[in-house]
Amino acid sequence: MIELLGERSRHDEGCASRVSIVRSLERYTYAQMVESERIIEAYRGLMKAKGSRRSTHEFSLDESTRLGALIWDLQHGEYRLGLQERFRVKDPKPRDIMAPKIRDRIVQRLLCDYVIAPVVGPRLVYDNAACQKGKGTHFALSRLKHHLESFVDVQRVETRRINAEGKRRGWRLNDGWVLKCDIAKYFYSIDCDILRARVFTLVKDEGIRELLDAILAQSCTLDDEGRRRGIALGNQTSQWFALLYLDVVDRLVKERLHVRYYSRYMDDFVLVHESQEYLCHCLAAIERECDAIGLRLNAKTQIMPLRHGVDYVGFHFRVEDDGRVRMMIRQRSRIGIQRALKKLVKMYVARQIEWSEVQMVLGSWLGHASHGDTRHLIGRVHIQMNYDLQHLARVDAERTGKPSVVLPLKHLDDLFARFGA
Protein backbone atom coordinates (compact mmCIF):
# COMPACT_ATOMS: atom_id res chain seq x y z
CA MET A 1 0.00 0.00 0.00
CA ILE A 2 2.86 2.37 0.86
CA GLU A 3 4.54 1.63 -2.47
CA LEU A 4 1.35 2.31 -4.38
CA LEU A 5 0.91 5.64 -2.63
CA GLY A 6 4.48 6.57 -3.42
CA GLU A 7 3.83 6.04 -7.11
CA ARG A 8 0.86 8.40 -7.17
CA SER A 9 1.54 11.98 -8.18
CA ARG A 10 1.06 14.75 -5.65
CA HIS A 11 -1.51 16.30 -7.99
CA ASP A 12 -3.63 13.12 -7.91
CA GLU A 13 -3.40 12.91 -4.13
CA GLY A 14 -4.42 16.57 -3.84
CA CYS A 15 -7.42 16.07 -6.14
CA ALA A 16 -8.53 12.98 -4.22
CA SER A 17 -8.26 14.76 -0.87
CA ARG A 18 -10.21 17.77 -2.15
CA VAL A 19 -12.99 15.54 -3.46
CA SER A 20 -13.23 13.61 -0.19
CA ILE A 21 -13.28 16.81 1.90
CA VAL A 22 -15.98 18.43 -0.24
CA ARG A 23 -18.10 15.28 -0.15
CA SER A 24 -17.78 14.98 3.62
CA LEU A 25 -18.70 18.62 4.16
CA GLU A 26 -21.79 18.28 1.99
CA ARG A 27 -23.09 16.02 4.78
CA TYR A 28 -21.87 18.35 7.55
CA THR A 29 -24.82 19.83 9.43
CA TYR A 30 -25.50 22.95 11.46
CA ALA A 31 -26.40 20.77 14.45
CA GLN A 32 -22.97 19.13 14.39
CA MET A 33 -21.22 22.49 14.14
CA VAL A 34 -22.97 24.00 17.19
CA GLU A 35 -22.24 21.15 19.58
CA SER A 36 -21.11 22.53 22.94
CA GLU A 37 -17.60 21.07 22.70
CA ARG A 38 -16.94 22.78 19.38
CA ILE A 39 -18.22 26.17 20.59
CA ILE A 40 -16.07 25.96 23.73
CA GLU A 41 -13.04 25.01 21.65
CA ALA A 42 -13.66 27.99 19.34
CA TYR A 43 -13.89 30.24 22.40
CA ARG A 44 -10.60 28.92 23.78
CA GLY A 45 -8.92 29.48 20.43
CA LEU A 46 -10.19 33.07 20.39
CA MET A 47 -8.96 33.67 23.94
CA LYS A 48 -5.53 32.32 23.03
CA ALA A 49 -5.29 34.69 20.07
CA LYS A 50 -7.09 37.78 21.45
CA GLY A 51 -7.10 37.23 25.21
CA SER A 52 -5.07 40.36 25.99
CA ARG A 53 -7.74 42.71 24.61
CA ARG A 54 -10.05 44.52 26.99
CA SER A 55 -13.30 43.35 25.36
CA THR A 56 -12.17 39.71 25.50
CA HIS A 57 -11.13 40.11 29.13
CA GLU A 58 -14.52 41.58 30.04
CA PHE A 59 -16.30 38.63 28.41
CA SER A 60 -14.12 36.16 30.34
CA LEU A 61 -15.13 37.68 33.70
CA ASP A 62 -18.54 36.01 33.33
CA GLU A 63 -17.66 33.47 30.67
CA SER A 64 -19.77 30.59 31.98
CA THR A 65 -23.01 32.59 31.82
CA ARG A 66 -22.26 34.36 28.54
CA LEU A 67 -20.88 31.29 26.81
CA GLY A 68 -23.82 29.23 28.03
CA ALA A 69 -26.24 31.80 26.61
CA LEU A 70 -24.44 31.74 23.24
CA ILE A 71 -24.57 27.93 23.13
CA TRP A 72 -28.30 27.97 23.89
CA ASP A 73 -28.99 30.61 21.23
CA LEU A 74 -27.06 28.72 18.56
CA GLN A 75 -28.56 25.35 19.35
CA HIS A 76 -32.16 26.69 19.47
CA GLY A 77 -31.96 28.93 16.41
CA GLU A 78 -32.19 32.15 18.45
CA TYR A 79 -28.74 33.54 17.62
CA ARG A 80 -28.69 36.99 16.02
CA LEU A 81 -25.69 39.04 14.93
CA GLY A 82 -24.87 42.02 17.14
CA LEU A 83 -23.94 45.51 16.04
CA GLN A 84 -20.32 46.00 15.00
CA GLU A 85 -18.06 48.78 16.21
CA ARG A 86 -16.68 50.88 13.37
CA PHE A 87 -13.33 52.67 13.56
CA ARG A 88 -10.70 53.95 11.13
CA VAL A 89 -7.00 53.17 10.91
CA LYS A 90 -4.56 55.35 8.96
CA ASP A 91 -1.45 53.17 8.76
CA PRO A 92 -0.41 52.15 6.13
CA LYS A 93 -3.46 53.77 4.48
CA PRO A 94 -6.94 54.84 5.65
CA ARG A 95 -9.29 51.90 6.17
CA ASP A 96 -12.65 51.47 7.87
CA ILE A 97 -12.56 48.49 10.25
CA MET A 98 -15.62 46.68 11.58
CA ALA A 99 -15.06 45.06 14.99
CA PRO A 100 -17.64 42.37 15.92
CA LYS A 101 -18.74 41.69 19.49
CA ILE A 102 -16.97 38.84 21.28
CA ARG A 103 -19.90 36.41 20.93
CA ASP A 104 -19.95 37.13 17.18
CA ARG A 105 -16.20 36.56 17.00
CA ILE A 106 -16.69 33.16 18.62
CA VAL A 107 -19.31 32.23 16.00
CA GLN A 108 -17.05 33.41 13.17
CA ARG A 109 -14.16 31.37 14.51
CA LEU A 110 -16.49 28.37 14.79
CA LEU A 111 -17.52 28.80 11.15
CA CYS A 112 -13.94 29.27 9.95
CA ASP A 113 -12.47 26.36 11.90
CA TYR A 114 -15.16 23.77 11.20
CA VAL A 115 -16.69 24.80 7.86
CA ILE A 116 -14.92 27.43 5.78
CA ALA A 117 -11.25 26.51 6.27
CA PRO A 118 -11.71 22.76 5.68
CA VAL A 119 -13.71 23.27 2.47
CA VAL A 120 -12.05 26.38 1.02
CA GLY A 121 -8.44 25.73 2.04
CA PRO A 122 -7.79 22.53 0.03
CA ARG A 123 -9.13 24.06 -3.20
CA LEU A 124 -6.78 27.08 -3.13
CA VAL A 125 -3.55 27.03 -5.12
CA TYR A 126 -0.36 26.51 -3.14
CA ASP A 127 0.97 30.02 -3.84
CA ASN A 128 -2.12 31.70 -2.36
CA ALA A 129 -0.24 32.74 0.76
CA ALA A 130 -2.53 34.73 3.08
CA CYS A 131 -4.45 33.80 6.26
CA GLN A 132 -4.01 30.03 6.24
CA LYS A 133 -2.43 27.70 8.74
CA GLY A 134 1.28 27.41 7.98
CA LYS A 135 1.19 30.38 5.62
CA GLY A 136 1.32 34.17 5.92
CA THR A 137 3.64 37.03 5.02
CA HIS A 138 6.85 35.08 5.61
CA PHE A 139 5.56 32.19 3.50
CA ALA A 140 4.78 34.66 0.70
CA LEU A 141 8.27 36.16 0.97
CA SER A 142 9.99 32.78 0.90
CA ARG A 143 7.91 31.62 -2.08
CA LEU A 144 8.71 34.70 -4.18
CA LYS A 145 12.39 34.39 -3.31
CA HIS A 146 12.25 30.72 -4.29
CA HIS A 147 10.57 31.62 -7.61
CA LEU A 148 13.20 34.25 -8.39
CA GLU A 149 16.04 31.85 -7.57
CA SER A 150 14.43 29.17 -9.76
CA PHE A 151 14.06 31.68 -12.60
CA VAL A 152 17.76 32.60 -12.31
CA ASP A 153 18.74 28.90 -12.32
CA VAL A 154 16.80 28.34 -15.56
CA GLN A 155 18.44 31.42 -17.07
CA ARG A 156 21.88 30.15 -16.04
CA VAL A 157 21.33 26.74 -17.63
CA GLU A 158 20.03 28.33 -20.84
CA THR A 159 23.03 30.68 -21.00
CA ARG A 160 25.48 27.78 -20.65
CA ARG A 161 23.69 25.84 -23.37
CA ILE A 162 23.83 28.76 -25.80
CA ASN A 163 27.50 29.40 -25.03
CA ALA A 164 28.29 25.72 -25.60
CA GLU A 165 26.68 25.93 -29.04
CA GLY A 166 28.94 28.83 -29.91
CA LYS A 167 26.13 31.36 -30.07
CA ARG A 168 26.35 34.73 -28.39
CA ARG A 169 23.47 36.17 -26.49
CA GLY A 170 23.78 39.48 -24.69
CA TRP A 171 21.61 38.78 -21.67
CA ARG A 172 22.20 38.80 -17.96
CA LEU A 173 20.80 36.46 -15.34
CA ASN A 174 18.31 39.13 -14.27
CA ASP A 175 17.03 39.72 -17.80
CA GLY A 176 13.37 38.95 -17.25
CA TRP A 177 10.10 40.73 -16.58
CA VAL A 178 7.72 41.12 -13.65
CA LEU A 179 3.99 41.78 -13.72
CA LYS A 180 2.94 43.33 -10.40
CA CYS A 181 -0.85 43.49 -9.91
CA ASP A 182 -2.99 45.06 -7.21
CA ILE A 183 -6.78 45.19 -6.96
CA ALA A 184 -8.38 48.59 -6.41
CA LYS A 185 -10.30 48.68 -3.08
CA TYR A 186 -10.53 44.91 -3.03
CA PHE A 187 -12.65 44.23 0.07
CA TYR A 188 -15.05 47.07 -0.73
CA SER A 189 -15.48 45.94 -4.37
CA ILE A 190 -16.34 42.26 -3.86
CA ASP A 191 -19.73 41.42 -5.35
CA CYS A 192 -21.68 39.80 -2.51
CA ASP A 193 -24.03 37.89 -4.83
CA ILE A 194 -21.16 36.30 -6.78
CA LEU A 195 -19.38 35.47 -3.51
CA ARG A 196 -22.59 34.03 -2.01
CA ALA A 197 -23.11 31.77 -5.03
CA ARG A 198 -19.55 30.43 -4.79
CA VAL A 199 -19.75 29.78 -1.07
CA PHE A 200 -23.13 28.05 -1.39
CA THR A 201 -21.77 25.67 -4.04
CA LEU A 202 -19.41 24.38 -1.34
CA VAL A 203 -21.65 24.54 1.74
CA LYS A 204 -24.91 22.58 1.43
CA ASP A 205 -26.44 22.70 4.91
CA GLU A 206 -29.29 25.25 5.14
CA GLY A 207 -28.56 26.24 8.74
CA ILE A 208 -24.94 27.07 7.94
CA ARG A 209 -26.03 28.89 4.79
CA GLU A 210 -28.40 31.10 6.77
CA LEU A 211 -25.62 32.03 9.18
CA LEU A 212 -23.19 32.84 6.36
CA ASP A 213 -25.90 34.81 4.56
CA ALA A 214 -26.51 36.94 7.66
CA ILE A 215 -22.78 37.72 7.99
CA LEU A 216 -22.56 38.72 4.33
CA ALA A 217 -25.72 40.85 4.46
CA GLN A 218 -24.46 42.78 7.50
CA SER A 219 -21.45 44.22 5.66
CA CYS A 220 -22.79 44.69 2.11
CA THR A 221 -23.79 48.08 0.71
CA LEU A 222 -25.57 48.94 -2.54
CA ASP A 223 -23.52 50.54 -5.32
CA ASP A 224 -24.80 52.92 -8.00
CA GLU A 225 -26.05 49.99 -10.08
CA GLY A 226 -27.94 48.42 -7.20
CA ARG A 227 -25.43 45.59 -6.71
CA ARG A 228 -24.53 44.43 -3.21
CA ARG A 229 -20.82 45.01 -2.67
CA GLY A 230 -18.23 44.87 0.08
CA ILE A 231 -17.22 42.59 2.92
CA ALA A 232 -16.21 43.84 6.35
CA LEU A 233 -12.56 44.40 7.17
CA GLY A 234 -12.18 42.98 10.66
CA ASN A 235 -14.28 39.82 10.24
CA GLN A 236 -12.42 36.52 10.29
CA THR A 237 -14.85 35.14 7.71
CA SER A 238 -13.97 38.03 5.36
CA GLN A 239 -10.37 36.81 5.14
CA TRP A 240 -11.51 33.45 3.82
CA PHE A 241 -14.11 35.01 1.53
CA ALA A 242 -11.38 37.20 0.02
CA LEU A 243 -9.12 34.20 -0.55
CA LEU A 244 -11.89 32.32 -2.33
CA TYR A 245 -13.12 35.24 -4.44
CA LEU A 246 -9.84 35.67 -6.37
CA ASP A 247 -9.31 31.92 -6.75
CA VAL A 248 -10.55 32.26 -10.34
CA VAL A 249 -7.57 34.53 -11.08
CA ASP A 250 -5.19 32.02 -9.44
CA ARG A 251 -6.63 29.26 -11.62
CA LEU A 252 -6.36 31.44 -14.70
CA VAL A 253 -2.68 32.20 -14.08
CA LYS A 254 -1.61 28.68 -13.08
CA GLU A 255 -3.84 26.42 -15.16
CA ARG A 256 -4.65 28.38 -18.34
CA LEU A 257 -1.76 30.82 -18.70
CA HIS A 258 0.71 28.27 -17.23
CA VAL A 259 2.80 30.87 -15.40
CA ARG A 260 5.25 28.96 -13.25
CA TYR A 261 6.56 31.83 -11.11
CA TYR A 262 3.52 33.28 -9.34
CA SER A 263 2.66 34.35 -5.80
CA ARG A 264 -0.42 36.05 -4.33
CA TYR A 265 -0.94 37.62 -0.93
CA MET A 266 -4.64 38.62 -0.74
CA ASP A 267 -5.10 41.25 -3.49
CA ASP A 268 -1.39 41.71 -4.23
CA PHE A 269 0.15 39.28 -6.74
CA VAL A 270 3.31 38.91 -8.81
CA LEU A 271 4.08 37.05 -12.06
CA VAL A 272 7.64 36.51 -13.32
CA HIS A 273 8.39 35.55 -16.92
CA GLU A 274 11.19 35.91 -19.48
CA SER A 275 8.89 37.50 -22.08
CA GLN A 276 7.43 40.98 -21.78
CA GLU A 277 4.98 40.25 -24.59
CA TYR A 278 3.61 37.19 -22.79
CA LEU A 279 3.11 39.18 -19.58
CA CYS A 280 1.15 41.76 -21.62
CA HIS A 281 -1.06 38.89 -22.77
CA CYS A 282 -1.40 37.73 -19.14
CA LEU A 283 -2.33 41.23 -17.98
CA ALA A 284 -5.11 41.48 -20.57
CA ALA A 285 -6.48 38.07 -19.52
CA ILE A 286 -6.37 39.02 -15.83
CA GLU A 287 -8.17 42.30 -16.51
CA ARG A 288 -10.96 40.43 -18.33
CA GLU A 289 -11.30 37.92 -15.50
CA CYS A 290 -11.39 40.68 -12.88
CA ASP A 291 -13.97 42.62 -14.89
CA ALA A 292 -16.20 39.53 -14.99
CA ILE A 293 -16.34 39.45 -11.18
CA GLY A 294 -16.68 43.21 -10.69
CA LEU A 295 -13.07 44.07 -9.85
CA ARG A 296 -10.48 46.28 -11.49
CA LEU A 297 -6.72 46.63 -11.22
CA ASN A 298 -5.40 49.89 -9.78
CA ALA A 299 -2.74 52.27 -11.06
CA LYS A 300 0.07 50.42 -9.25
CA THR A 301 -0.31 47.50 -11.67
CA GLN A 302 2.62 47.49 -14.10
CA ILE A 303 5.09 45.40 -16.06
CA MET A 304 8.72 46.18 -15.21
CA PRO A 305 12.19 44.75 -15.89
CA LEU A 306 13.24 42.21 -13.29
CA ARG A 307 16.58 43.98 -12.74
CA HIS A 308 14.66 47.00 -11.38
CA GLY A 309 13.27 44.87 -8.56
CA VAL A 310 9.74 44.44 -7.24
CA ASP A 311 7.98 45.40 -3.98
CA TYR A 312 6.03 42.62 -2.30
CA VAL A 313 4.63 42.27 1.25
CA GLY A 314 6.76 45.04 2.73
CA PHE A 315 10.05 43.95 1.14
CA HIS A 316 11.90 44.99 -2.02
CA PHE A 317 13.22 42.05 -4.04
CA ARG A 318 16.16 42.64 -6.35
CA VAL A 319 18.00 40.22 -8.60
CA GLU A 320 21.64 41.21 -9.12
CA ASP A 321 23.51 40.78 -12.42
CA ASP A 322 25.27 37.70 -11.01
CA GLY A 323 21.93 36.09 -10.09
CA ARG A 324 21.88 36.73 -6.35
CA VAL A 325 18.41 37.48 -4.95
CA ARG A 326 18.32 40.17 -2.27
CA MET A 327 15.41 40.98 0.05
CA MET A 328 15.47 44.42 1.64
CA ILE A 329 12.84 46.19 3.72
CA ARG A 330 11.12 48.92 1.74
CA GLN A 331 12.15 52.50 2.52
CA ARG A 332 8.66 53.46 3.72
CA SER A 333 8.69 50.55 6.17
CA ARG A 334 12.16 51.48 7.43
CA ILE A 335 11.14 55.07 8.09
CA GLY A 336 7.91 53.96 9.75
CA ILE A 337 9.54 51.60 12.25
CA GLN A 338 12.29 54.11 13.13
CA ARG A 339 9.67 56.74 13.91
CA ALA A 340 7.60 54.28 15.92
CA LEU A 341 10.58 53.11 17.97
CA LYS A 342 11.68 56.69 18.71
CA LYS A 343 8.15 57.49 19.89
CA LEU A 344 8.14 54.45 22.18
CA VAL A 345 11.54 55.41 23.63
CA LYS A 346 10.23 58.90 24.39
CA MET A 347 7.21 57.40 26.17
CA TYR A 348 9.44 55.07 28.17
CA VAL A 349 11.78 57.89 29.23
CA ALA A 350 8.70 59.92 30.27
CA ARG A 351 7.54 56.90 32.35
CA GLN A 352 4.34 56.54 30.31
CA ILE A 353 4.97 52.90 29.39
CA GLU A 354 7.05 49.98 30.67
CA TRP A 355 10.17 48.73 28.92
CA SER A 356 8.39 45.44 28.20
CA GLU A 357 6.08 47.25 25.75
CA VAL A 358 9.07 48.68 23.86
CA GLN A 359 10.72 45.28 23.88
CA MET A 360 7.58 43.59 22.50
CA VAL A 361 7.33 45.93 19.49
CA LEU A 362 11.08 45.86 18.85
CA GLY A 363 11.28 42.07 19.09
CA SER A 364 8.38 41.66 16.67
CA TRP A 365 10.02 43.96 14.11
CA LEU A 366 13.42 42.29 14.48
CA GLY A 367 11.83 38.88 13.89
CA HIS A 368 10.18 40.17 10.72
CA ALA A 369 13.22 42.07 9.45
CA SER A 370 15.57 39.13 9.98
CA HIS A 371 13.89 37.25 7.11
CA GLY A 372 15.61 39.61 4.65
CA ASP A 373 19.10 40.93 3.97
CA THR A 374 18.88 43.44 6.80
CA ARG A 375 21.96 42.94 8.98
CA HIS A 376 23.26 46.46 8.34
CA LEU A 377 19.80 48.00 8.84
CA ILE A 378 19.37 46.19 12.16
CA GLY A 379 22.80 47.45 13.23
CA ARG A 380 21.85 51.05 12.41
CA VAL A 381 18.59 50.76 14.35
CA HIS A 382 20.55 49.38 17.31
CA ILE A 383 22.94 52.36 17.31
CA GLN A 384 20.06 54.83 16.94
CA MET A 385 18.08 53.32 19.84
CA ASN A 386 21.13 53.37 22.11
CA TYR A 387 21.68 57.04 21.31
CA ASP A 388 17.98 57.96 21.70
CA LEU A 389 17.71 56.27 25.10
CA GLN A 390 20.75 58.03 26.55
CA HIS A 391 20.11 61.41 24.92
CA LEU A 392 16.38 61.60 25.77
CA ALA A 393 16.98 60.37 29.32
CA ARG A 394 19.61 63.06 29.87
CA VAL A 395 17.33 65.78 28.43
CA ASP A 396 14.41 64.60 30.59
CA ALA A 397 16.54 64.59 33.74
CA GLU A 398 17.76 68.13 33.05
CA ARG A 399 14.24 69.35 32.38
CA THR A 400 12.56 67.78 35.41
CA GLY A 401 15.44 67.81 37.88
CA LYS A 402 14.68 64.17 38.73
CA PRO A 403 16.87 61.10 38.24
CA SER A 404 16.38 59.54 34.82
CA VAL A 405 14.69 56.19 34.30
CA VAL A 406 16.80 53.05 34.43
CA LEU A 407 18.29 52.60 30.98
CA PRO A 408 18.00 48.92 29.91
CA LEU A 409 21.02 49.11 27.60
CA LYS A 410 22.18 45.57 28.46
CA HIS A 411 18.70 44.19 27.66
CA LEU A 412 18.71 46.15 24.41
CA ASP A 413 22.15 44.83 23.41
CA ASP A 414 21.11 41.25 24.22
CA LEU A 415 17.95 41.55 22.11
CA PHE A 416 19.82 42.87 19.07
CA ALA A 417 22.59 40.28 19.57
CA ARG A 418 20.02 37.50 19.06
CA PHE A 419 19.48 38.85 15.54
CA GLY A 420 23.16 39.27 14.65
CA ALA A 421 23.56 43.00 15.38
Side-chain angles (χ1 to χ4, degrees):
M1 182 65 179
I2 294 175
E3 293 177 355
L4 289 174
L5 284 174
E7 293 173 359
R8 295 176 62 190
S9 69
R10 192 169 73 173
H11 174 74
D12 292 339
E13 291 180 7
C15 291
S17 65
R18 284 196 293 270
V19 170
S20 64
I21 289 173
V22 170
R23 285 176 178 170
S24 66
L25 280 165
E26 286 178 355
R27 299 191 296 270
Y28 201 87
T29 65
Y30 178 86
Q32 291 174 312
M33 185 188 73
V34 298
E35 290 177 356
S36 301
E37 295 79 6
R38 290 195 172 96
I39 298 173
I40 293 171
E41 187 174 348
Y43 169 68
R44 288 173 178 167
L46 179 68
M47 289 297 295
K48 185 177 180 180
K50 309 289 185 181
S52 61
R53 297 189 178 182
R54 186 180 65 180
S55 57
T56 313
H57 177 67
E58 290 174 353
F59 186 93
S60 67
L61 294 177
D62 192 18
E63 66 178 21
S64 58
T65 302
R66 294 175 177 175
L67 198 56
L70 176 60
I71 293 172
W72 194 94
D73 287 344
L74 286 169
Q75 292 179 348
H76 292 82
E78 297 295 327
Y79 171 76
R80 300 293 182 270
L81 289 172
L83 295 176
Q84 295 184 327
E85 179 185 354
R86 181 190 295 268
F87 62 93
R88 170 162 285 214
V89 296
K90 297 181 179 180
D91 187 26
K93 60 183 179 181
R95 290 190 179 97
D96 290 323
I97 308 296
M98 304 295 292
K101 302 294 184 184
I102 296 303
R103 57 185 272 127
D104 296 333
R105 288 178 183 268
I106 297 171
V107 174
Q108 288 191 24
R109 189 175 186 94
L110 183 70
L111 276 168
C112 290
D113 289 351
Y114 293 104
V115 179
I116 301 176
V119 69
V120 173
R123 69 173 288 111
L124 302 177
V125 301
Y126 185 67
D127 281 300
N128 186 339
C131 304
Q132 302 167 68
K133 187 176 181 180
K135 296 185 179 182
T137 55
H138 296 150
F139 174 83
L141 293 170
S142 65
R143 284 299 291 171
L144 183 57
K145 185 176 183 180
H146 169 75
H147 287 324
L148 293 174
E149 290 172 341
S150 297
F151 179 84
V152 168
D153 289 341
V154 172
Q155 295 283 77
R156 186 177 285 114
V157 170
E158 185 67 12
T159 302
R160 289 172 181 170
R161 183 185 67 80
I162 291 173
N163 290 339
E165 294 175 356
K167 300 176 182 178
R168 296 189 64 185
R169 185 172 180 180
W171 70 1
R172 293 168 292 190
L173 293 176
N174 58 2
D175 276 344
W177 295 86
V178 177
L179 170 57
K180 171 73 182 300
C181 296
D182 197 359
I183 305 295
K185 298 182 178 179
Y186 179 45
F187 276 74
Y188 305 113
S189 302
I190 289 176
D191 189 309
C192 293
D193 295 320
I194 295 176
L195 175 61
R196 180 180 182 274
R198 288 188 185 170
V199 173
F200 281 15
T201 59
L202 302 175
V203 178
K204 304 299 183 182
D205 183 83
E206 287 300 324
I208 298 175
R209 282 184 170 188
E210 288 180 10
L211 193 52
L212 291 170
D213 218 4
I215 293 173
L216 277 173
Q218 188 180 45
S219 59
C220 291
T221 57
L222 293 178
D223 64 8
D224 296 336
E225 300 175 356
R227 301 283 297 178
R228 297 194 308 158
R229 291 193 181 276
I231 55 177
L233 279 169
N235 284 356
Q236 186 179 357
T237 51
S238 294
Q239 305 296 321
W240 283 100
F241 291 156
L243 293 179
L244 176 64
Y245 198 73
L246 268 184
D247 184 61
V248 291
V249 174
D250 296 336
R251 300 286 170 183
L252 166 69
V253 173
K254 299 297 290 184
E255 298 172 1
R256 288 155 54 192
L257 297 174
H258 304 290
V259 177
R260 180 180 180 184
Y261 309 116
Y262 170 76
S263 180
R264 175 166 79 90
Y265 189 87
M266 202 54 75
D267 63 330
D268 191 7
F269 48 102
V270 175
L271 294 75
V272 182
H273 200 271
E274 64 180 20
S275 169
Q276 182 185 14
E277 290 76 18
Y278 190 71
L279 285 183
C280 290
H281 168 69
C282 293
L283 176 57
I286 291 170
E287 286 177 333
R288 288 193 298 270
E289 195 69 49
C290 288
D291 185 64
I293 56 176
L295 302 176
R296 62 180 180 85
L297 300 176
N298 65 19
K300 291 186 286 185
T301 299
Q302 58 181 317
I303 298 173
M304 66 198 87
L306 180 59
R307 62 179 177 271
H308 291 177
V310 59
D311 292 336
Y312 187 57
V313 199
F315 277 76
H316 181 76
F317 289 79
R318 192 171 71 207
V319 181
E320 305 291 354
D321 291 345
D322 60 1
R324 288 180 299 124
V325 178
R326 299 187 63 193
M327 286 172 50
M328 295 159 290
I329 291 183
R330 295 171 60 186
Q331 182 178 2
R332 186 176 69 180
S333 301
R334 293 200 303 266
I335 294 172
I337 190 61
Q338 287 171 337
R339 287 176 178 171
L341 290 174
K342 188 163 188 175
K343 181 179 178 181
L344 287 172
V345 168
K346 283 183 179 180
M347 294 174 68
Y348 171 72
V349 169
R351 297 177 173 82
Q352 296 175 357
I353 60 173
E354 298 294 329
W355 175 250
S356 58
E357 297 181 51
V358 182
Q359 194 172 15
M360 182 174 61
V361 174
L362 178 60
S364 176
W365 179 79
L366 286 172
H368 175 66
S370 63
H371 284 78
D373 303 306
T374 55
R375 185 168 60 89
H376 295 297
L377 172 62
I378 291 175
R380 291 198 302 270
V381 172
H382 184 196
I383 294 170
Q384 186 64 44
M385 283 199 71
N386 258 313
Y387 172 79
D388 288 342
L389 272 171
Q390 297 178 65
H391 172 69
L392 292 173
R394 184 171 62 253
V395 170
D396 183 73
E398 293 173 355
R399 182 178 60 83
T400 61
K402 298 179 181 178
S404 66
V405 294
V406 176
L407 299 181
L409 299 179
K410 181 65 168 61
H411 290 239
L412 187 67
D413 293 342
D414 291 343
L415 182 58
F416 275 96
R418 296 213 307 265
F419 295 92

